Amino acid sequence: QVQLVESGGGLVQPGGSLRLSCAASGITLSANDMGWYRQAPGKQRELVASISDSGSTDYGDSVKGRFTISRDIGKNPVYLQMNSLEPEDAAVYYCNAKRVTYSSTGRRYQREEYWGQGTQVAVSS
């Protein structure tokens, strides 16, 4: 059974920092793209940051330069370091895993995906 468990959310003042963690079980981390998404009330879920099975990273435009996703390849957990937090960053943050496979010709596929339950981040003075 796959489980993704987020932790580290909470209330922080504008300009502050938080570090979110995603602990995964039931999957082989090195065979998954891992990501953080967020959803604020009344808004669609959006990509915050992702790190591929090979370690390549990608960020949403609104968090570039402020957030950092990291992991030790194949190891738990996956982290999201959030600095210079703004009120607009307030949301429920979700951990996501997408299993990756490769064909005999090297073509890359994303297979099933999994979600955590989310952790709340509030940014307010």
Side-chain angles (χ1 to χ4, degrees):
Q1 183 179 1
V2 177
Q3 279 193 316
L4 302 177
V5 180
E6 303 96 336
S7 62
L11 173 63
V12 64
Q13 291 185 341
S17 298
L18 282 175
R19 189 177 77 162
L20 305 183
S21 298
C22 173
S25 60
I27 60 173
T28 302
L29 280 180
S30 60
N32 280 264
D33 292 339
M34 301 297 296
W36 288 95
Y37 289 73
R38 68 186 182 187
Q39 188 167 20
K43 295 187 177 181
Q44 289 189 329
R45 191 171 296 191
E46 63 175 353
L47 173 70
V48 176
S50 64
I51 185 164
S52 73
D53 60 333
S54 62
S56 299
T57 59
D58 190 25
Y59 295 92
D61 288 341
S62 63
V63 306
K64 285 180 181 177
R66 299 188 297 122
F67 291 11
T68 303
I69 188 171
S70 65
R71 70 176 186 190
D72 292 329
I73 297 298
K75 294 183 180 180
N76 262 314
V78 177
Y79 298 105
L80 182 69
Q81 178 66 43
M82 305 187 295
N83 298 328
S84 302
L85 282 160
E86 304 168 354
E88 293 74 23
D89 296 316
V92 178
Y93 283 69
Y94 297 91
C95 183
N96 173 270
K98 298 181 180 71
R99 190 171 67 90
V100 175
T101 63
Y102 293 85
S103 71
S104 59
T105 60
R107 185 171 180 178
R108 191 175 191 273
Y109 297 89
Q110 286 184 332
R111 303 295 186 181
E112 60 272 20
E113 71 175 335
Y114 306 95
W115 293 93
Q117 293 299 307
T119 185
Q120 181 77 51
V121 171
V123 184
S124 175
S125 55

